[in-house]
């Protein structure tokens, strides 16, 4: 069990060792890359018999970018441009047709948009956060308990919610649990796929604050996917603009927002203004 | 998930509970030995013989007690086989898809194409009639396709849900995902299917015994007794009525539980 089964952990991983997260900030030089996406083209096959044949529809075309250590990289674009497909490819859930995806950190995780489907409805919040540790299998019950409690405190979930099932939790609380579950194995790189889009504005602000806070506590890097340019502006350091499966513009957020080069980016910005 | 009780579920549990308790008592104690032929023939129901006596002067109430036990055992074992194998097939086909899905589901379609009683007859003619174990095997196989179909849909629907994707990213194996992550979520469709299957099993066993391919004496199921009773409708109508009503009560109670479970699912959704 453990890392061997994780489709996203490639042979090229360069950092590893679970448990020394306190020291790792010192070990990782500034501006080191956590992820390289190199000329990736990917898509879906439909039809065919028993998984063979069928029609190939390409969604991502020659996508090329890096995520640097410690940064929050925004990925914006209209719905249907392939943002989530890119997330799936990065996580190893979808095999690229061309190009390669190189992870420099183990166990990348994802926080999903819909906090209703990201938690197992049959189990409590506590169970969902503990499950990754059970799968990992290296900690005893006491150690798991300690880590789960610590994580639930960090995501500021009220204690009376620990044993609640997802349908007894609010959207914001569910998202806190999802974040705790994603971070419990101490990943260094997390994809957040529209993590606040399903939430009220006030809850959005709280969750964004939490994500920023956790980035600092756990020395994380994010790929933050959103269609909401205002949220990206608040949170992100750099931004990628995606259109029809291509990255059409990228750069520091301020630069892209103040001086958009592409017509598409201008339209997006106007639409969200 | 808040488990709310509703009136169907409550009524079903009460009726089934009473039937179960009486049946359990019947295993250890019956008012008279069920095979004793020492009473008057065709006595109508009275305080002494609640359901009357039959053509051999046996106490029908005592026989019904024993028969209910036999019927319950057969129906439970049948549903257990059908649900266990069917859910396994549903999990494999729904979760993994691909070639296994194509092959197993076509096989499933082929089984479904036979009228179930005909298929049971076919299997009985292969494994041999007369033993209650063979009845269980025959009916169990007949019941697999419906469970496979119902659970396959649920497993397929949950296959790419976010919490499953997350578990996969955490390194959970397929076995753990299927058993720990998905099975509890399948229960909401599996449990009502089990109650429906149970009722169908009771009725199927009754039909088989009625046709003479079910249990044989000294075993006596409710269905077998009903087939016996049809020859005595004139002399002792209470035999058929009491046995039939017992089947109805059994099926009714479990049917209510199934209805209750389903309407509770609707509430939650």
């Amino acid at each position: 069990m453990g890392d061997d089964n994780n489709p996203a952990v490639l042979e090229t991983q360069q950092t590893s060792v679970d448990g020394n997260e306190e020291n790792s900030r010192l070990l990782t030089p500034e501006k080191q890359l956590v992820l390289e996406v190199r000329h990736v083209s990917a898509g879906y096959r439909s039809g065919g018999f028993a998984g063979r044949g069928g029609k190939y529809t390409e969604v991502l075309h020659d996508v090329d970018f890096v995520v640097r250590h410690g940064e929050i990289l925004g990925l914006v674009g209209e719905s249907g441009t392939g943002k989530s497909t890119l997330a799936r490819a990065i996580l190893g859930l979808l095999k690229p047709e061309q190009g390669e995806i190189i992870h420099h950190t183990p166990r990348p995780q994802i926080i999903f948009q819909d906090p209703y489907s990201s938690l197992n409805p049959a189990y409590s919040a506590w169970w969902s956060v503990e499950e990754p540790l059970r799968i990992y299998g290296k900690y005893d019950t006491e150690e798991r308990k300690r880590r789960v409690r610590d994580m639930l405190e960090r995501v500021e979930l009220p204690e009376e919610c620990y044993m609640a099932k997802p349908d007894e939790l609010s959207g914001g609380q569910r998202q806190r649990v999802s974040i705790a579950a994603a971070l419990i194995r101490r990943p260094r790189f997390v994809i957040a796929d529209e993590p606040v889009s399903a939430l009220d504005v006030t809850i959005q602000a709280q969750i964004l604050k939490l994500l920023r806070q956790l980035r600092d506590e756990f020395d994380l890097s994010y790929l933050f996917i959103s269609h909401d340019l205002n949220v990206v502006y608040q949170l992100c350091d750099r931004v990628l603009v995606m259109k029809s499966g291509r990255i059409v513009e990228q750069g520091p957020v301020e630069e892209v927002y103040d001086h958009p080069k592409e017509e598409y980016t201008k339209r997006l910005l106007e639409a969200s203004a | 998930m808040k488990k709310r009780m509703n009136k169907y579920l409550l009524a079903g549990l009460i009726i089934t509970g009473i039937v179960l308790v009486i049946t359990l008592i019947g295993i250890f104690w019956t008012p008279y030995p069920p095979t004793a032929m020492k009473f008057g023939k065709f006595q109508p129901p009275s305080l002494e013989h609640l359901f009357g006596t039959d053509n051999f002067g046996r106490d029908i109430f005592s026989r019904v007690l024993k028969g209910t036990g036999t019927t319950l055992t057969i129906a439970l074992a049948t549903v257990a086989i059908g649900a266990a194998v069917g859910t396994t097939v549903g999990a494999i086909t729904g979760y993994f898809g691909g070639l296994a899905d194509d092959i197993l589901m076509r096989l499933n379609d082929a089984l479904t194409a036979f009228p179930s009683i005909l298929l049971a007859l076919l299997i009985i003619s292969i494994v041999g009639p007369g033993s209650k174990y063979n009845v269980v095997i025959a009916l169990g196989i007949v019941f697999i396709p419906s469970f496979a179909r119902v659970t396959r849909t649920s497993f397929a629907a949950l296959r790419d849900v976010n919490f499953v994707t997350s578990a996969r990213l955490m390194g959970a194996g397929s076995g753990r995902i299927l058993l720990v992550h998905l099975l509890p979520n399948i229960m909401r469709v599996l449990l009502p299917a089990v109650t429906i299957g149970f009722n169908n099993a009771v009725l199927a066993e009754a039909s088989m015994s009625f046709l003479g391919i079910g249990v044989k004496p000294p075993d006596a199921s409710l269905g077998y007794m009903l087939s016996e009773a049809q020859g005595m409708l004139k002399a002792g109508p209470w035999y058929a009525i009491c046995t039939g009503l017992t089947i109805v009560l059994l099926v009714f109670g479990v049917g209510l539980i199934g209805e209750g479970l389903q309407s509770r699912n609707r509430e939650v959704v």
Side-chain angles (χ1 to χ4, degrees):
Chain A
M1 303 307 279
D3 297 336
D4 303 342
N5 292 349
N6 191 328
V9 177
L10 307 180
E11 308 83 61
T12 44
Q13 67 171 245
Q14 286 164 7
T15 58
S16 180
V17 189
D18 190 81
N20 68 341
E21 57 275 359
E22 283 81 10
N23 302 328
S24 49
R25 185 190 291 266
L26 303 171
L27 296 173
T28 318
E30 262 339 277
K31 301 302 169 203
Q32 190 186 315
L33 303 181
V34 295
L35 172 73
E36 295 176 63
V37 175
R38 293 300 178 205
H39 302 288
V40 164
S41 297
Y44 297 99
R45 287 186 189 283
S46 57
F49 177 75
R52 287 165 190 277
K55 199 167 149 279
Y56 173 64
T57 315
E58 190 161 282
V59 180
L60 302 174
H61 316 286
D62 194 27
V63 172
D64 192 275
F65 66 92
V66 297
V67 180
R68 301 200 182 101
H69 171 249
E71 80 172 342
I72 305 184
L73 177 62
L75 174 61
V76 299
E78 290 166 323
S79 52
T81 53
K83 301 191 298 292
S84 294
T85 303
L86 178 57
R88 290 178 59 82
I90 292 171
L91 292 170
L93 300 169
L94 178 70
K95 212 170 152 334
E97 287 292 314
Q98 279 167 41
E100 59 178 340
I101 292 168
I102 305 162
H103 286 268
H104 295 289
T105 67
R107 304 180 302 277
Q109 288 300 325
I110 184 162
I111 300 163
F112 291 105
Q113 166 179 10
D114 176 17
Y116 290 82
S117 62
S118 56
L119 295 175
N120 193 328
Y123 296 101
S124 68
W126 181 284
W127 188 95
S128 290
V129 178
E130 190 181 359
E131 175 66 2
L133 297 180
R134 268 190 302 265
I135 293 169
Y136 181 52
K138 296 275 166 68
Y139 304 126
D140 62 17
T141 318
E142 277 310 306
E143 178 62 13
R144 286 204 305 267
K145 215 180 226 177
R146 195 186 65 74
R147 285 182 177 243
V148 173
R149 177 167 290 278
D150 174 66
M151 186 54 80
L152 286 173
E153 278 164 10
R154 282 181 199 254
V155 299
E156 292 157 19
L157 185 76
E159 192 158 355
E160 62 267 24
C161 298
Y162 286 5
M163 291 305 152
K165 299 272 176 73
D167 67 356
E168 297 159 347
L169 296 174
S170 71
Q173 289 168 339
R174 284 174 213 229
Q175 207 53 298
R176 287 173 194 275
V177 178
S178 305
I179 292 169
L183 298 185
I184 190 83
R185 289 274 321 270
R186 303 285 201 264
R188 306 295 303 282
F189 170 59
V190 174
I191 297 177
D193 189 357
E194 306 259 10
V196 297
S197 305
L199 305 175
D200 296 344
V201 181
T202 47
I203 310 291
Q204 273 194 9
Q206 292 174 15
I207 298 290
L208 291 177
K209 182 167 155 269
L210 178 68
L211 286 172
R212 209 180 285 124
Q213 203 172 304
L214 291 168
R215 192 254 317 244
D216 299 337
E217 281 175 37
F218 293 132
D219 197 27
L220 286 168
S221 311
Y222 293 123
L223 177 65
F224 186 88
I225 302 175
S226 182
H227 67 269
D228 186 336
L229 276 78
N230 295 317
V231 167
V232 169
Y233 188 78
Q234 286 173 50
L235 187 75
C236 299
D237 306 307
R238 283 196 311 135
V239 63
L240 307 171
V241 181
M242 193 173 219
K243 184 198 176 192
S244 312
R246 291 175 205 280
I247 307 283
V248 293
E249 186 159 3
Q250 57 177 304
V253 170
E254 316 246 319
E255 201 179 300
V256 172
Y257 276 52
D258 293 346
H259 311 288
K261 293 195 194 76
E262 289 290 320
E263 208 42 51
Y264 180 72
T265 315
K266 283 177 196 160
R267 275 201 291 120
L268 275 184
L269 285 165
E270 277 162 23
S272 69
Chain B
M1 198 184 306
K2 275 268 176 293
K3 304 272 180 188
R4 234 178 293 136
M5 202 50 105
N6 58 47
K7 53 181 191 285
Y8 291 117
L9 194 52
L10 189 68
L13 285 173
I14 290 172
I15 295 176
T16 309
I18 291 172
V19 173
L20 273 181
V21 167
I22 295 179
T23 310
L24 279 177
I25 293 171
I27 295 174
F28 304 104
W29 177 85
T30 48
Y32 305 96
T35 47
M37 306 183 191
K38 52 192 175 193
F39 312 106
K41 292 178 185 175
F42 293 124
Q43 287 180 24
S46 61
L47 277 181
E48 236 164 290
H49 299 284
L50 281 178
F51 288 179
T53 63
D54 66 4
N55 55 335
F56 295 119
R58 295 175 293 194
D59 178 54
I60 294 175
F61 184 67
S62 304
R63 283 177 49 78
V64 164
L65 277 181
K66 278 285 183 226
T68 309
T70 309
T71 296
L72 267 176
T73 316
I74 291 175
L76 282 176
T78 298
V79 170
I81 292 176
V85 181
T87 306
T88 310
V89 172
I92 292 169
T93 56
Y95 183 74
F96 295 106
L99 192 60
D101 186 23
D102 288 332
I103 293 174
L104 282 171
M105 287 323 280
R106 293 302 80 75
L107 213 67
N108 215 43
D109 289 342
L111 278 183
T112 318
F114 287 93
S116 50
I117 198 78
L118 199 68
L119 186 60
L121 235 152
L122 195 76
I123 299 167
I124 279 289
S125 69
I126 295 168
V127 296
S131 135
K132 65 178 166 188
Y133 301 106
N134 289 350
V135 173
V136 165
I137 291 170
L139 286 179
I141 294 173
V142 169
F143 277 64
I144 291 170
S146 67
F147 283 107
R149 189 164 299 281
V150 161
T151 53
R152 177 187 177 276
T153 312
S154 303
F155 277 110
L158 290 172
R159 174 173 66 186
D160 292 319
V161 161
N162 289 340
F163 69 79
V164 177
T165 302
S166 289
R168 227 175 276 146
L169 282 177
M170 301 291 179
S174 301
R176 184 171 184 89
I177 288 176
L178 285 173
L179 287 174
V180 179
H181 291 255
L182 293 184
L183 193 60
N185 290 295
I186 302 295
M187 281 303 163
R188 61 162 48 204
V189 298
L190 190 55
L191 285 179
V194 162
T195 62
I196 295 167
F198 176 88
N199 279 351
N200 288 336
V202 169
L203 297 175
E205 187 281 323
S207 318
M208 284 174 74
S209 295
F210 195 81
L211 292 173
I213 52 170
V215 298
K216 288 271 151 64
D219 280 334
S221 68
L222 291 176
Y224 175 80
M225 289 166 62
L226 203 59
S227 73
E228 247 184 11
Q230 72 162 332
M232 319 165 195
L233 274 177
K234 239 184 186 153
W238 50 84
Y239 190 7
I241 291 170
C242 292
T243 313
L245 280 180
T246 309
I247 295 177
V248 169
L249 195 68
L250 190 63
V251 172
F252 184 59
V254 177
L256 281 176
I257 293 180
E259 180 58 37
L261 287 173
Q262 273 173 327
S263 65
R264 190 174 66 178
N265 283 350
R266 281 192 291 271
E267 272 171 43
V268 173
V269 173

